[in-house]
Amino acid sequence: MLPTFIISTILFTLSHARYLDLNSTSSNAAGILTSTKFDYIIVGGGTAGLTVAKRLSENLRNSKILVLEAGRSGIDDDLVTIPSNSFSFVGTDIDWFFTTTSQEHAAGQEINLSQGKILGGGSAVNGLVWTRGQQAEYDAFETLGSEGWNWDMMYSYMKKAEKLNYPSVTLIDEYGVAVTASSLGASGPVELSYPAYIPIQHQKLVEAGIELGHTFNTDAYRGNNTGVYFSLSSQTLVPVRETSEFAYLDTITGKTKLTTIIHATVSKINFETKGSEVKATGVQLSSPDGTEYTAALTSKGEVILAAGVVRTPQILELSGVGNSDILSSLGIDVVLDLPGVGENYEDQTLTLLTYALKDGFLSFDALKYNSTLLAEQTALLPLGQGWLTFAQAVVDFEPIGQILNASEIEYAKQLFETKPVSIPQDQFDIIKDQVFSGVPQVEYLLFNSFSAGGTDKQPNTSYISMAVTHIHPLSRGSIHINSTSINDHPKIDPNFLDSAWDQWFLAKASAYGRKLLQTHALQEVLVSEETYPGASVQTDDQWIRYVKEGVNAGYHSIGSASMMPQEKNGVVDASLKVYGTRNVRVVDLSAMPLHISAHTQAAAYTFGEIAADLIIADSRT
């Protein structure tokens, strides 16, 4: 039990934030921008951006570092700090309100792609899930042409970000939580914990997987994540969600020259060209009232893009770096013709299956119709107990051999005889090898509430929804500007389900999800009749139609400024520098060229940690 004063003390500490507000007349942000030249300007105070900011400020004490974040702080905001509020940000002031273009292969849907507009970025709004992929998936980055980017190198940086809070005896005895401590970091900024409460339906998912022959994985953080396991969450023991703002920005110690400005929207990078050298001199930005400012670099300074998978390519294109045909059509002067900007964009795809819970079993839905329960659980949170400490706790990553029968695997091989147009040959070959060599291709997890089913939700009823995620889709899309204003969202086209494999496998994986939900273990707590999509979906054609009409984004976007050789449509090299520039890097997941069988939060911290070391090393040469 954690006394209330402990939480109060921690929140008091967090309230002493290290930022200035460009939207406040009492702030000196504008004066600093006009009077200072910076050695490093970090565009975006999200997961990777604040990771880089902390490491640079602590290792390069004499360097003037500026972080520019379009959103606000998450301090003292229950929407951010309370674990059970994960994904509750959608439609609020900290949502970028991104949506995809109409998806040709997904019944013309314009699919929500909400992302966090806040210090901490995705780490402030996501589901708190902390997972790693398979060793082979990280080695694939090097195979694509980025020397040194492999499991061995990246694993050390994964652990550098982490601080494992080993599960209590109560968690181990009551829930069966299991983790191998040596596979995780012990002294990094990001606290990783298991929630104090794990709903019985989530416990039953572990039993359901085992019932169907899935491995119960007790060491999923050392390069083999196959099976069902209790996944860690990015939260403290208090419990408060751990974000990059709380873990990195607010833990900087000693005297530094770091300035963080919120409500500062960067619109472009300023460049000068001398001969063949393209050099950034600073960035243009604006406050919420439209006032424009310039943040200037010192002569040896760098611009570090960490604006996210949507806005990083948008800023590059608005700055004149990208496909010359796209830029010229909008009247933008071409600084660098770099056709890979905005290309190779991908996201995982998911479907949802919904079931009602039997009488006597409750999910988060009950908090909306039972005010007494809500009051009880709210009172338990300051004690570190109860429902509100929970966001997620169980994941199940499976290869095709667990999902498909022998004849279906043969059909899968036929589908892989033809490469989709949108994916490069080398990426196709890598994924094909992974699919047929046992690398997980699907993830199952439960949302502890009604998350899909339209008007089928009944009053005073608790539900759960299973998310079925296709981890390695073959379809590739793009993100490109369609105006010269940073305030206009770019065209976001993930090209979902363009590949026949993507459609067919997600349909098969979804049907297998129903099999999981109908195991003896889960039927102990679930009503047998499926709420969504329901008994009318049975045949392969019906499952594929269900996929097309109901597919969702996985909210794990990557690749829009990929780290690959330039001749392969890459945007940054292995040092994360934008090709053709002297001093611009991309450090967020825009640079990640290929997906992994994991949620992307840990990968974003890893990219930030690696980027920081690359920048520090360059500063000393």
Side-chain angles (χ1 to χ4, degrees), residues 131-208:
T131 53
R132 295 207 221 296
Q134 290 273 325
Q135 178 174 336
E137 296 169 318
Y138 300 92
D139 289 341
F141 299 171
E142 189 165 50
T143 301
L144 286 175
S146 296
E147 185 177 355
W149 284 77
N150 53 44
W151 167 263
D152 289 339
M153 182 273 276
M154 296 184 71
Y155 182 41
S156 64
Y157 283 99
M158 297 175 206
K159 295 175 75 173
K160 184 177 181 180
E162 299 169 340
K163 179 184 178 183
L164 172 65
N165 292 317
Y166 195 77
S168 67
V169 172
T170 300
L171 283 170
I172 294 170
D173 290 346
E174 183 173 352
Y175 300 126
V177 168
V179 66
T180 302
S182 61
S183 298
L184 291 128
S187 57
V190 183
E191 287 196 45
L192 305 177
S193 311
Y194 291 100
Y197 167 78
I198 301 176
I200 189 170
Q201 48 267 31
H202 291 255
Q203 300 171 52
K204 291 294 181 181
L205 179 58
V206 176
E207 296 177 23

Side-chain angles (χ1 to χ4, degrees), residues 279-499:
K279 177 183 175 183
T281 60
V283 301
Q284 295 296 119
L285 65 140
S286 62
S287 61
D289 66 5
T291 304
E292 294 189 354
Y293 302 90
T294 297
L297 283 173
T298 60
S299 61
K300 294 184 178 180
E302 285 194 22
V303 170
I304 300 166
L305 280 174
V309 174
V310 173
R311 290 178 73 84
T312 284
Q314 181 186 21
I315 291 169
L316 283 171
E317 289 186 334
L318 290 174
S319 307
V321 177
N323 186 315
S324 59
D325 292 338
I326 293 173
L327 305 183
S328 297
S329 70
L330 292 168
I332 296 173
D333 292 336
V334 178
V335 175
L336 278 172
D337 183 13
L338 198 57
V341 172
E343 296 294 317
N344 199 45
Y345 167 54
E346 65 168 311
D347 199 342
Q348 296 165 341
T349 52
L350 68 82
T351 57
L352 292 163
L353 308 170
T354 299
Y355 280 71
L357 287 164
K358 290 179 177 178
D359 290 344
F361 299 100
L362 300 173
S363 71
F364 285 157
D365 292 322
L367 298 174
K368 297 179 180 179
Y369 61 77
N370 187 328
S371 59
T372 300
L373 176 65
L374 176 60
E376 291 172 351
Q377 295 304 320
T378 301
L380 286 173
L381 180 64
L383 306 177
Q385 300 174 0
W387 291 24
L388 306 189
T389 70
F390 176 81
Q392 268 298 338
V394 178
V395 294
D396 190 352
F397 289 93
E398 297 299 330
I400 65 164
Q402 188 65 55
I403 309 304
L404 307 177
N405 61 35
S407 62
E408 289 168 340
I409 289 175
E410 289 305 310
Y411 182 69
K413 291 177 181 177
Q414 293 177 35
L415 290 175
F416 271 90
E417 289 176 359
T418 303
K419 182 188 78 65
V421 173
S422 67
I423 187 172
Q425 185 68 53
D426 53 359
Q427 293 189 36
F428 176 77
D429 292 341
I430 288 169
I431 292 176
K432 181 178 181 179
D433 178 70
Q434 291 178 357
V435 166
F436 296 106
S437 64
V439 172
Q441 298 300 312
V442 62
E443 179 203 25
Y444 298 97
L445 62 74
L446 298 180
F447 293 142
N448 196 36
S449 63
F450 185 97
S451 301
T455 60
D456 294 331
K457 185 178 181 181
Q458 298 300 309
N460 301 324
T461 304
S462 282
Y463 296 83
I464 56 94
S465 293
M466 172 176 279
V468 181
T469 302
H470 184 191
I471 295 163
H472 290 294
L474 296 177
S475 304
R476 295 291 182 271
S478 63
I479 299 174
H480 291 297
I481 57 173
N482 56 4
S483 84
T484 58
S485 173
I486 190 66
N487 296 316
D488 295 333
H489 290 338
K491 293 188 296 182
I492 306 169
D493 182 11
N495 197 24
F496 284 149
L497 305 177
D498 173 59
S499 158

Side-chain angles (χ1 to χ4, degrees), residues 49-76:
L50 293 185
T51 301
V52 172
K54 176 182 175 69
R55 298 306 188 190
L56 296 189
S57 66
E58 291 183 341
N59 288 277
L60 304 175
R61 295 280 181 179
N62 292 321
S63 294
K64 295 178 181 177
I65 301 160
L66 174 66
V67 176
L68 297 169
E69 167 56 42
R72 59 170 173 82
S73 168
I75 289 171
D76 294 331

Side-chain angles (χ1 to χ4, degrees), residues 98-111:
F98 295 136
T99 58
T100 71
T101 58
S102 175
Q103 292 300 285
E104 177 184 354
H105 308 288
Q109 294 182 77
E110 294 181 5
I111 297 171

Side-chain angles (χ1 to χ4, degrees), residues 353-354 456 514 529-538 543 546:
L353 308 170
T354 299
D456 294 331
R514 174 184 286 171
E529 181 181 358
E530 185 176 271
T531 301
Y532 178 80
S536 62
V537 176
Q538 296 290 339
W543 277 110
Y546 148 81

Side-chain angles (χ1 to χ4, degrees), residues 589-608:
L589 292 183
S590 305
M592 193 162 103
L594 199 61
H595 242 306
I596 53 177
S597 56
H599 295 241
T600 48
Q601 175 179 208
Y605 280 113
T606 302
F607 265 71

